[in-house]
Amino acid sequence: METQTVRERMLKQIEHMARHSVIRDRRYLDDEQLVRSEQLAVLEEIFNTKVREAEVSELSSHFAGMLRGDHPCHLAIWGKTGTGKTMTLCFFLNLIADMAKGRGVELRHEHLDISTPRPCFRALNDLACLLGAAKRYKHGISLEELMVRIETHLADFKGYLVLFVDEVDNVRDREPFLTFLVRRLPQRLQAKLVLIFVSNRLDWCDQLNPRIRSFLKMNELVFEPYDAADLQHILRIRIGKALRPGMVGDGVVGKIAALASRDHGDARQAVALLARSAYVAEKAGSMITLNLVDEAARQIEQNRYVALMRSAPRQLQAAMAAVIDGARGGRLLSTAQAYEAYQRLCAQVRLNVLTYRAFSDLLAELDLYSLIDSRIMSRGRYGRCRQIRLSLPQNLVDQIARAIRMSFT
DNA sequence: TGTCCACAGGAAATACGGGGGT
DNA sequence: ACCCCCGTATTTCCTGTGGACA
């Protein structure tokens, strides 16, 4: 009896969802889930709408010489996250490699992605792996040895070698790394080496040896953030691929584009907001409306806080938990009171207790992220003290508390 | 007007840990 | 396997401060 009704309800639910579903292919809302060729297809469609036209034509004129046998110089590219640097370059290099093949020009291109900070040794080792010149080492091999292996591995190659170093600014101690690539490697190869450095910081080469810097400064290309119109194009293409037709209300695309271009013009953010909106709409069983976009934006915002705390250092988590515990019911808390709560908590979860001074810095950090709201009040004769309260909505505070508890167990 | 509370927050010293070199 | 170095976290020490109170 019981199972029957459950079964029925589920069937009804599925039927309802099928009739009202918003999403046709959710993979197109998240690049990670697309295979390479699909990504490139999306990009091609985007570039066909004149988005990034200036940059692509700049790249074309810079590299077109390769098809005629010239040796183009290196290129330094700047742009904030989500401005499509990596995507544009990948697309472009694929395109030019294709054309080169058609004309019998030997061209090899590699993408060295330094997505997380790593020392020179790691970066070189990664490069060697990428080229197939060496295996992955933890240690036990000198920098020199790595360099020689890369050189000997490439010794016989005579065509163009385009090396696309993504997020170079993540290489700590990048001087030797860059010196190797810029000054030493070209001299020891028969191949025509073309380096492309991408960074999201304008100042990444400021502290470098002037000789290398001047070398890099020769050719720069800046990726401006997308404007709202670009973002609209990008969103429309995604919508066409990912959603069923007619599921997007009036003004929704404009709104998402406006929100995303207002902070940083990050395309990834815009697509993420679209994805979340679609998800929320699907759950609500309606098309995407302006209100649902607001709801989605709120959820993304809240998730950021939760994710931030989940991945925060334990001490910071403990400080947050202490404040949540102490400031129940909108109570105002002084640093000293918060510190007491923190000490109790540390005892419970066997965390070593930091000094008052260090704890005070933790609170300042929480305040910086606006996880708490703290201001300094003078009580005259009775001294000055910080008044701490939770400023986030209660349900979010509960989520954060839960996330912290999870990572403590 | 000066005092003094109760803390904030800067500076320097020190501890710690992880990665690279040998 | 071991040591050293360096960047970061933490501690220690200290000076600064707004305003109620006498």
Side-chain angles (χ1 to χ4, degrees):
Chain A
M1 196 65 180
E2 184 80 351
T3 53
Q4 277 275 327
T5 53
V6 170
R7 192 178 291 258
E8 276 169 17
R9 257 185 311 194
M10 246 177 96
L11 277 173
K12 216 176 267 176
Q13 181 84 17
I14 290 169
E15 202 176 298
H16 178 268
M17 278 170 71
R19 209 171 325 118
H20 294 270
S21 84
V22 177
I23 300 169
R24 186 170 60 193
D25 187 346
R26 92 178 42 248
R27 293 180 316 130
Y28 278 96
L29 293 172
D30 178 10
D31 269 337
E32 309 260 307
Q33 294 184 33
L34 292 178
V35 296
R36 193 73 174 176
S37 59
E38 289 168 325
Q39 280 181 11
L40 292 175
V42 173
L43 286 170
E44 178 148 15
E45 232 177 286
I46 289 172
F47 291 134
N48 284 341
T49 63
K50 301 201 169 180
V51 172
R52 287 279 171 250
E53 191 181 28
E55 285 82 358
V56 171
S57 83
E58 180 80 19
L59 286 171
S60 305
S61 64
H62 187 88
F63 289 115
M66 287 197 294
L67 300 176
R68 294 191 309 268
D70 297 346
H71 189 173
C73 49
H74 307 319
L75 191 61
I77 296 179
W78 287 298
K80 295 186 181 149
T81 49
T83 51
K85 302 180 294 290
T86 303
M87 283 298 158
T88 307
L89 260 295
C90 282
F91 173 75
F92 181 80
L93 289 178
N94 261 304
L95 191 68
I96 205 154
D98 227 36
M99 293 169 73
K101 201 188 283 171
R103 293 165 192 238
V105 177
E106 205 178 346
L107 189 153
R108 177 173 178 190
H109 66 96
E110 297 292 349
H111 177 198
L112 177 63
D113 187 7
I114 309 182
S115 45
T116 52
R118 66 197 68 174
C120 172
F121 179 84
R122 268 291 142 64
L124 264 183
N125 194 186
D126 288 346
L127 174 60
C129 291
L130 184 71
L131 296 168
K135 61 176 185 124
R136 195 162 295 279
Y137 292 96
K138 278 208 185 83
H139 42 240
I141 181 170
S142 69
L143 289 177
E144 177 63 27
E145 173 67 20
L146 267 177
M147 293 179 190
V148 170
R149 292 225 190 152
I150 291 171
E151 285 160 10
T152 48
H153 181 80
L154 292 171
D156 296 333
F157 184 70
K158 291 199 181 65
Y160 288 99
L161 176 60
V162 182
L163 198 56
F164 166 24
V165 186
D166 208 349
E167 309 197 45
V168 237
D169 45 321
N170 273 334
V171 182
R172 290 200 300 265
D173 187 22
R174 45 187 165 267
E175 184 96 35
F177 180 70
L178 291 172
T179 310
F180 171 69
L181 286 179
V182 172
R183 301 189 64 83
R184 174 166 160 179
L185 196 54
Q187 294 184 353
R188 312 210 174 184
L189 295 184
Q190 301 183 49
K192 292 175 181 155
L193 181 67
V194 181
L195 296 167
I196 304 175
F197 294 110
V198 169
S199 156
N200 42 35
R201 309 177 36 149
L202 270 167
D203 61 344
W204 71 276
C205 63
D206 277 1
Q207 324 88 331
L208 251 43
N209 176 338
R211 297 176 70 181
I212 296 180
R213 198 182 338 154
S214 66
F215 211 87
L216 295 173
K217 290 264 177 185
M218 284 198 309
N219 257 290
E220 312 175 2
L221 177 58
V222 176
F223 276 58
E224 296 295 333
Y226 291 114
D227 63 24
D230 292 339
L231 290 173
Q232 290 207 19
H233 280 127
I234 292 170
L235 288 168
R236 289 232 160 76
I237 287 166
R238 294 286 179 161
I239 287 169
K241 294 210 176 275
L243 306 185
R244 287 179 49 226
M247 297 313 282
V248 179
D250 285 343
V252 163
V253 173
K255 177 157 192 170
I256 295 177
L259 284 175
S261 77
R262 199 179 53 195
D263 57 29
H264 307 127
D266 183 336
R268 220 169 310 159
Q269 255 184 50
V271 173
L273 181 53
L274 172 66
R276 173 64 69 157
S277 304
Y279 176 73
V280 171
E282 180 121 334
K283 229 168 138 184
S286 86
M287 65 195 298
I288 302 177
T289 62
L290 291 176
N291 284 338
L292 290 179
V293 172
D294 282 330
E295 168 64 18
R298 228 199 62 237
Q299 286 188 10
I300 287 177
E301 175 78 8
Q302 294 206 353
N303 276 340
R304 258 217 295 278
Y305 285 113
V306 177
L308 183 72
M309 273 331 284
R310 188 173 288 141
S311 62
R314 293 180 74 79
Q315 290 289 359
L316 198 64
Q317 292 179 333
M320 186 68 202
V323 173
I324 290 176
D325 187 41
R328 281 253 152 63
R331 210 139 50 86
L332 285 173
L333 215 49
S334 71
T335 308
Q337 289 166 328
Y339 189 57
E340 278 174 32
Y342 161 79
Q343 284 175 308
R344 277 200 301 278
L345 190 101
C346 283
Q348 276 173 31
V349 298
R350 298 227 191 89
L351 192 66
N352 58 323
V353 183
L354 297 183
T355 54
Y356 184 88
R357 178 71 185 83
F359 180 73
S360 160
D361 279 346
L362 291 179
L363 289 183
E365 200 176 338
L366 290 175
D367 191 38
L368 186 73
Y369 297 140
S370 54
L371 283 153
I372 61 173
D373 176 24
S374 82
R375 63 192 55 169
I376 297 151
M377 275 281 292
S378 175
R379 291 177 300 163
R381 247 210 94 101
Y382 305 106
R384 284 150 55 109
C385 84
R386 197 185 232 158
Q387 290 192 329
I388 303 161
R389 83 175 99 209
L390 292 166
S391 53
L392 301 173
Q394 186 59 43
N395 71 328
L396 179 52
V397 170
D398 293 341
Q399 278 185 56
I400 292 172
R402 226 173 302 136
I404 295 176
R405 227 175 297 134
M406 293 273 282
S407 59
F408 269 140
T409 48

